[in-house]
């Protein structure tokens, strides 16, 4: 490719605080330029994704974000509003959205995807006006998000999730949730409720084994276990996404659900505490475009 007409301008924003935020981008820039993409990088210190995306919406053709799921979560609403295609450089700890999309874990290989693979539409989840890519949850997962410090993630990577979970596990207690969906109201006692838009979350967990981020559906599950040790027995299923087959796990698909609790509880969206119950969760079908393979369900994970 050559000539100004063949060049797309891409706002390139990297979260330097991400676990691999210090990755040398020279090779990435080279891959992008060979693919006809000119990276436009904000001055050092300008890190507000929302403001940067809105500020460059009229002058850039796409957005490339380097970071983890928290970085993408912070930018989700601005991406939907600006209607700019997204390219992802997986530089975070878990990189669950990249995993759900079948993207390479290596940032240089991910840049090759951005440069060569057309953007395709994917869904977003929305809870109380907060957009998310992977999952919204209350209970154990939200408590874990509060416990999992940035330092722990940086030092231990995905192992940090296990360390923080072990600290919390014996303190986990069931709570009451009122679930409204598809014309019914259910009252349950649960340790965790999760509503997934994508497939993966939490550094290796799977919402539902056949879920995709472009199916127009939310996948719900509730862990209605009597004792905390039951979570240990469920762990293999939670990693595979088959927990919905267990007798003490409630699971269904929907497009909209409301979760109410007796007192406000924090809601974790993609690893960030963003709102409180009551939580109105819905799917926004085909909300944004992402440069990713067209059939992630048919290719094996290339993450380690």
């Amino acid at each position: 490719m050559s000539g100004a007409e063949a060049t797309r301008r891409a706002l390139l924003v990297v979260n330097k605080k991400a676990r691999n935020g210090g990755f040398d981008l020279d090779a990435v820039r080279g891959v992008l330029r060979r693919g006809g993409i000119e990276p436009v990088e904000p001055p050092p210190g300008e890190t507000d994704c929302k403001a940067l995306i809105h500020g460059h919406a009229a002058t850039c053709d796409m957005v490339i974000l380097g970071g983890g799921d928290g970085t993408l979560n912070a930018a989700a609403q601005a991406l939907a509003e600006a209607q700019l295609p997204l390219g992802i450089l997986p530089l975070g700890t878990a990189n669950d959205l990249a995993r759900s999309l079948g993207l390479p874990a290596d940032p240089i290989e991910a840049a090759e995807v951005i440069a060569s693979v057309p953007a395709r539409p994917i869904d977003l989840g929305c809870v109380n006006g907060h957009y998310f890519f992977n999952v919204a949850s209350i209970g154990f997962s939200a408590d874990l998000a509060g416990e999992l410090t940035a330092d722990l993630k940086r030092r231990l990577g995905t192992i940090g999730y296990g360390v923080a979970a072990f600290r919390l596990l014996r303190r986990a207690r069931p709570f009451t949730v009122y679930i409204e969906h598809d014309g019914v109201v259910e009252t349950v006692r649960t340790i965790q409720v999760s509503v997934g838009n994508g497939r993966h979350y939490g550094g290796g967990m799977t919402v539902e084994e056949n879920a995709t981020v472009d199916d127009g559906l939310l996948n719900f599950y509730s862990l209605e276990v009597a004792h905390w040790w039951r979570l240990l027995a469920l762990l293999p299923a939670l990693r595979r996404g088959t927990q919905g087959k267990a007798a003490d796990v409630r699971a269904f698909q929907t497009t909209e659900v409301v979760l109410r609790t007796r007192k406000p509880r924090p809601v974790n969206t993609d690893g960030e505490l963003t709102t409180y119950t009551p939580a109105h969760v819905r799917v926004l079908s085909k909300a944004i475009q992402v440069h990713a393979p067209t059939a992630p369900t048919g290719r094996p994970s290339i993450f380690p």
Side-chain angles (χ1 to χ4, degrees):
M1 278 187 188
S2 60
E5 291 184 359
T7 300
R8 293 171 288 168
R9 288 168 54 85
L11 173 65
L12 173 58
V13 182
V14 173
N15 178 6
K16 297 296 184 181
K17 295 181 180 179
R19 185 162 192 256
N20 296 305
F23 185 85
D24 187 341
L25 294 177
D26 284 347
V28 167
R29 296 185 187 99
V31 168
L32 294 174
R33 288 181 175 126
R34 287 193 295 274
I37 299 172
E38 181 58 36
V40 177
E41 300 177 55
E46 292 189 21
T47 58
D48 186 333
C49 287
K50 293 180 182 178
L52 287 169
I53 291 169
H54 285 304
H56 288 78
T59 58
C60 286
D61 304 294
M62 60 188 300
V63 175
I64 299 174
L65 293 178
D69 294 295
T71 303
L72 294 165
N73 182 276
Q77 183 164 349
L79 288 166
E81 291 169 351
Q83 288 295 293
L84 292 175
L86 170 65
I88 300 172
L89 300 176
L91 299 176
T93 302
N95 300 308
D96 287 310
L97 177 61
R99 191 184 299 261
S100 292
L101 290 168
L103 293 174
D106 179 81
I108 298 173
E109 293 180 15
E112 295 277 5
V113 171
I114 296 169
S116 63
V117 176
R120 65 180 181 89
I122 67 169
D123 307 332
L124 283 174
C126 181
V127 53
N128 294 351
H130 296 270
Y131 290 28
F132 64 92
F133 287 99
N134 303 323
V135 70
S137 56
I138 60 175
F140 182 80
S141 180
D143 295 339
L144 179 59
E147 184 88 0
L148 191 61
T149 64
D151 179 65
L152 192 62
K153 288 196 290 185
R154 190 175 297 110
R155 286 189 294 110
L156 300 180
T158 54
I159 296 173
Y161 287 85
V163 172
F166 183 77
R167 291 174 180 172
L168 284 172
L169 195 55
R170 297 188 65 175
R171 304 204 308 263
R173 297 291 183 273
F175 58 96
T176 299
V177 180
Y178 306 95
I179 307 164
E180 301 177 26
H181 71 98
D182 303 301
V184 300
V185 179
E186 301 172 283
T187 302
V188 306
R189 293 281 291 171
T190 185
I191 284 181
Q192 175 175 304
V193 165
S194 293
V195 186
N197 174 57
R199 183 184 301 178
H200 299 294
Y201 75 103
M205 301 295 105
T206 304
V207 178
E208 205 281 331
E209 61 180 338
N210 296 313
T212 67
V213 75
D214 61 355
D215 57 11
L217 294 170
L218 299 172
N219 285 277
F220 173 101
Y221 76 79
S222 170
L223 302 178
E224 297 164 18
V225 297
H227 302 284
W228 64 266
W229 50 260
R230 173 65 178 141
L231 291 179
L232 297 178
L234 280 172
L235 185 58
L238 286 164
R239 295 189 68 85
R240 293 191 302 266
T242 58
Q243 64 273 15
K245 299 175 183 178
D248 48 4
V249 177
R250 184 184 309 265
F252 57 82
Q253 290 183 321
T254 188
T255 58
E256 189 171 12
V257 61
V258 177
L259 306 172
R260 304 183 190 278
T261 52
R262 289 174 177 170
K263 63 179 182 179
R265 300 187 68 99
V267 180
N268 168 17
T269 56
D270 297 346
E272 308 293 324
L273 300 180
T274 51
T275 186
Y276 289 83
T277 55
H280 181 186
V281 192
R282 56 196 177 95
V283 66
L284 305 175
S285 181
K286 309 294 189 288
I288 67 169
Q289 301 269 336
V290 178
H291 289 272
T294 55
T297 56
R299 58 186 282 165
S301 173
I302 42 185
F303 274 76

